[in-house]
Amino acid sequence: MDKKPIAWIVDSTAYISETLQQHPDLFSIPLNIHFGEKQFIDGIDLTPNELYTYIKQSPTLPKTSQPSPGEFAEQFKKIAEKYETGIAVHVSGKLSGTLSSSIEGAKIAGFPITFIDSHSLSYGITGLVEKGMALQNAGASVNEIKNQLECMAGTLQNYILIGQLEQLYKGGRMSGVQFFLGSLLKMKPIIQITKDGTLQAIDKVRSEKKALQYLINKVVEGHQDGNKKIYIMHGNAQDQAEHLKKCLIEQLPNLEVEIGNISSTLAVHAGEDTLAVLWF
């Protein structure tokens, strides 16, 4: 049986749109979520809604971990039975050990994979995969695809309104002083994934209304620079996301807006009510 040319591989921090869910050549390898001694597989044993329920009921916050190289190798061996090669786009190597574990897994499996560090997560991965698939359909080689995706990886514009300060703090993503002041003053931090794939706090607002307007202003600025499509990602905040979309369309009637959920793995750190706008 002839093998298909390219398998597209992501991890479960990626946003899998409805279109990508139906794509036969896309494989998402899940990360692990731990509640004490209990371990769940992201998206398989635990959905985002179930995660939020667990967080509310559990005395301790969950943690996440990437699959081991051996677990990656098992998946890659199965993929290798039907594909000549793979292109893997992973969560930023500065935020997770997933990329390095995946690279080691490919060596164990003996399967040739081209690896792309997205320097991002969520839609930042999705957009690269969609672009890569379009390049493949246009006849680009694996090396040409790699070069273009690596150039694109650092161009993601993103503004993330964190839903739960406590989870970000306990996950080690903010200092005790930041957490104390933020909680005391009811501040809502705006964070950003930088071009090199790290997280940094860039601003803070004091109310939901001001936070929403902040995100709207940033999207309007991006639209003026030529952007025609954005993604709104949220953590169990569908109503807020729909309201944000409505506000944006009222100001920018030609803007294309897609709404999606952040994965359980990301929700562990950002928390419920997280709201983000992202575009390339």
Side-chain angles (χ1 to χ4, degrees):
M1 181 182 72
D2 291 337
K3 292 186 177 183
K4 300 176 76 172
I6 300 174
W8 288 88
I9 300 158
V10 297
D11 55 72
S12 62
T13 65
Y15 166 60
I16 309 299
S17 64
E18 290 185 11
T19 301
L20 287 179
Q21 287 176 25
Q22 307 303 320
H23 200 290
D25 301 326
L26 180 73
F27 300 86
S28 179
I29 299 179
L31 276 69
N32 303 309
I33 298 173
H34 308 266
F35 277 93
E37 297 299 317
K38 291 184 179 180
Q39 176 175 308
F40 300 90
I41 301 174
D42 185 9
I44 297 177
D45 298 334
L46 192 69
T47 66
N49 285 340
E50 290 170 338
L51 171 72
Y52 298 124
T53 300
Y54 265 106
I55 289 174
K56 290 173 183 176
Q57 296 175 348
S58 175
T60 59
L61 287 176
K63 297 181 179 180
T64 60
S65 66
Q66 70 270 12
S68 68
E71 290 171 322
F72 271 114
E74 288 182 17
Q75 297 291 331
F76 293 156
K77 287 176 183 177
K78 294 176 183 177
I79 295 172
E81 294 174 1
K82 297 182 179 180
Y83 291 86
E84 294 176 358
T85 189
I87 297 178
V89 184
H90 283 303
V91 58
S92 169
K94 297 283 183 67
L95 300 177
S96 169
T98 302
L99 176 62
S100 59
S101 188
S102 184
I103 291 171
E104 291 304 311
K107 292 177 182 177
I108 295 170
F111 181 48
I113 298 179
T114 297
F115 290 94
I116 307 293
D117 186 339
S118 71
H119 298 301
S120 186
L121 36 75
S122 190
Y123 171 69
I125 299 173
T126 313
L128 293 176
V129 170
E130 290 175 338
K131 176 65 173 180
M133 287 178 169
L135 289 169
Q136 179 188 359
N137 291 336
S141 67
V142 170
N143 197 50
E144 289 170 336
I145 293 171
K146 176 179 183 291
N147 290 338
Q148 291 209 38
L149 295 191
E150 287 181 339
C151 290
M152 182 178 173
T155 67
L156 181 73
Q157 300 298 307
N158 62 97
Y159 300 90
I160 306 165
L161 175 66
I162 291 298
Q164 300 294 329
L165 280 180
E166 182 181 13
Q167 284 176 232
L168 194 69
Y169 166 59
K170 289 189 175 181
R173 303 298 182 184
M174 70 186 301
S175 72
V177 172
Q178 289 173 321
F179 174 65
F180 174 74
L181 292 176
S183 300
L184 182 67
L185 301 174
K186 302 298 182 184
M187 301 299 287
K188 297 180 176 297
I190 306 287
I191 67 171
Q192 191 172 61
I193 308 164
T194 65
K195 291 182 178 181
D196 67 350
T198 59
L199 286 177
Q200 68 174 13
I202 58 170
D203 218 328
K204 50 186 178 291
V205 290
R206 281 204 182 201
S207 69
E208 291 286 350
K209 185 177 180 180
K210 289 183 178 179
L212 188 71
Q213 191 59 52
Y214 183 99
L215 297 181
I216 291 171
N217 292 344
K218 291 300 181 183
V219 173
V220 170
E221 290 173 13
H223 187 72
Q224 291 171 345
D225 291 337
N227 178 57
K228 303 301 182 186
K229 180 177 181 179
I230 73 153
Y231 278 76
I232 298 174
M233 305 303 298
H234 69 90
N236 201 29
Q238 185 71 33
D239 289 347
Q240 294 97 309
E242 293 286 357
H243 178 62
L244 175 56
K245 178 178 178 178
K246 180 175 179 291
C247 293
L248 288 170
I249 296 301
E250 286 175 353
Q251 292 196 43
L252 307 168
N254 297 323
L255 182 68
E256 184 179 351
V257 181
E258 183 168 331
I259 295 174
N261 279 292
I262 60 175
S263 70
S264 298
T265 305
L266 299 184
V268 165
H269 300 287
E272 197 168 15
D273 295 328
T274 291
L275 200 60
V277 290
L278 310 93
W279 67 91
F280 279 102

